[in-house]
Amino acid sequence: MCTISQTAVVSGFAVGSILVAAIRPLWLLAVDACSFVASPVLIGLWTPAAPASAPDGERSLRSVVKGSAEGLRHIWTNRPLRRLVLLTWAVPGFSSVGDGLAVAYTAKVGSAETAAGWLFTGYAAGTVMGELAVARLSPDTRRRLITPLVIGSQLPLIAFFLGPSVPMAAALLALSGAGFACNQGIDPLILSATAPTYRGRLFTVQTSGLMTGQGLGVALSGALGTQLHPGVVIGLTGLVGTVVVSSLACRR
């Protein structure tokens, strides 16, 4: 799923840049807004019907909240599982900061703000290439690569202290994005540490936490970016992120 989504991101940047040159950005944004309206309509019309997982009387808001709470309790009372889930949150939470400050960084180093597209593309392309490369490896090799990959997702960000050029910054973000392939080794460990009855709720919590962590990371770094040079903020994030993910990956 991650490979598909990041491939769509890279393709979107490529097609979007062509369309921006062909029509005004305002009209392009209007078309994009219409696509969000069309999406649920297409899903409703062409998605095959699936049987409900529970009777209508059991699918209440109360039951959903109760199920989510049970899933959270199962995670936090299981130390190895808690560590693995926190690791899947921490890696993108820290590494996405470079992506979030791309526009501010390119402006500060004297490049056109449109050059930020190189940084966005670098992170997404690195994620795709990392996923494709690691997917060809054996399960044992993927597990052995968890620690190098999670650390590799953070270390390139530290180089932003040096104020790299936009092409070099894009390459650094590509290396950082490639580290996201660590999930191919982590996810099987999460599955093996989780009781089958909790797996659906577990991955819901995991995905929700991942997206929340990314949002908070970008928001906090954006606030810091108003006071400090964006390159310094990205570098600090990489430094703190390296310490955090190393601690989580090496703890047993």
Side-chain angles (χ1 to χ4, degrees), residues 211-237:
M211 297 177 69
T212 302
Q214 284 182 308
L216 288 174
V218 171
L220 292 174
S221 63
L224 283 174
T226 62
Q227 305 297 323
L228 301 172
H229 190 287
V232 173
V233 176
I234 297 172
L236 284 172
T237 302

Side-chain angles (χ1 to χ4, degrees), residues 83 86-88 90-91 94 146-155 158 182 186 237-252:
R83 175 181 64 84
L86 286 173
L87 189 57
T88 64
V91 168
F94 286 105
I146 289 176
T147 299
L149 285 172
V150 297
I151 295 175
S153 70
Q154 311 300 317
L155 282 179
I158 299 176
C182 65
I186 296 174
T237 302
L239 195 59
V240 174
T242 299
V243 173
V244 172
V245 301
S246 298
S247 174
L248 290 171
C250 296
R251 190 183 304 167
R252 293 290 182 266

Side-chain angles (χ1 to χ4, degrees), residues 6-19:
Q6 293 299 326
T7 301
V9 169
V10 175
S11 302
F13 287 138
V15 175
S17 62
I18 296 172
L19 292 176

Side-chain angles (χ1 to χ4, degrees), residues 19-241:
L19 292 176
V20 167
I23 62 178
R24 295 180 61 184
L26 182 61
W27 286 107
L28 185 58
L29 289 173
V31 172
D32 189 38
C34 291
S35 72
F36 282 93
V37 176
S39 294
V41 175
L42 295 174
I43 291 172
L45 291 175
W46 279 285
T47 300
S53 57
D56 291 340
E58 296 179 13
R59 288 183 293 149
S60 63
L61 177 61
R62 182 178 179 180
S63 67
V64 171
V65 172
K66 181 181 178 182
S68 298
E70 289 176 353
L72 281 170
R73 190 160 49 248
H74 179 71
I75 292 172
W76 298 118
T77 55
N78 185 325
R79 182 176 296 180
L81 180 59
R82 182 174 67 233
R83 175 181 64 84
L84 291 169
V85 171
L86 286 173
L87 189 57
T88 64
W89 292 354
V91 168
F94 286 105
S95 64
S96 63
V97 167
D99 208 31
L101 290 177
V103 175
Y105 182 80
T106 54
K108 281 292 185 180
V109 297
S111 298
E113 292 183 358
T114 52
W118 288 103
L119 304 191
F120 293 135
T121 303
Y123 186 75
T127 301
V128 172
M129 297 305 294
E131 292 276 0
L132 292 176
V134 173
R136 300 174 65 88
L137 305 176
S138 67
D140 288 340
T141 303
R142 294 177 199 172
R143 284 193 290 272
R144 287 195 296 269
L145 286 176
I146 289 176
T147 299
L149 285 172
V150 297
I151 295 175
S153 70
Q154 311 300 317
L155 282 179
L157 302 182
I158 299 176
F160 276 81
F161 276 126
L162 303 176
S165 63
V166 169
M168 181 58 70
L172 290 170
L173 289 182
L175 289 174
S176 177
F180 198 67
C182 65
N183 281 343
Q184 293 193 34
I186 296 174
D187 285 347
L189 296 178
I190 290 177
L191 279 174
S192 64
T194 307
T197 55
Y198 285 99
R199 286 176 182 174
R201 282 170 282 185
L202 170 84
F203 280 104
T204 298
V205 171
Q206 181 190 14
T207 303
S208 300
L210 183 152
M211 297 177 69
T212 302
Q214 284 182 308
L216 288 174
V218 171
L220 292 174
S221 63
L224 283 174
T226 62
Q227 305 297 323
L228 301 172
H229 190 287
V232 173
V233 176
I234 297 172
L236 284 172
T237 302
L239 195 59
V240 174

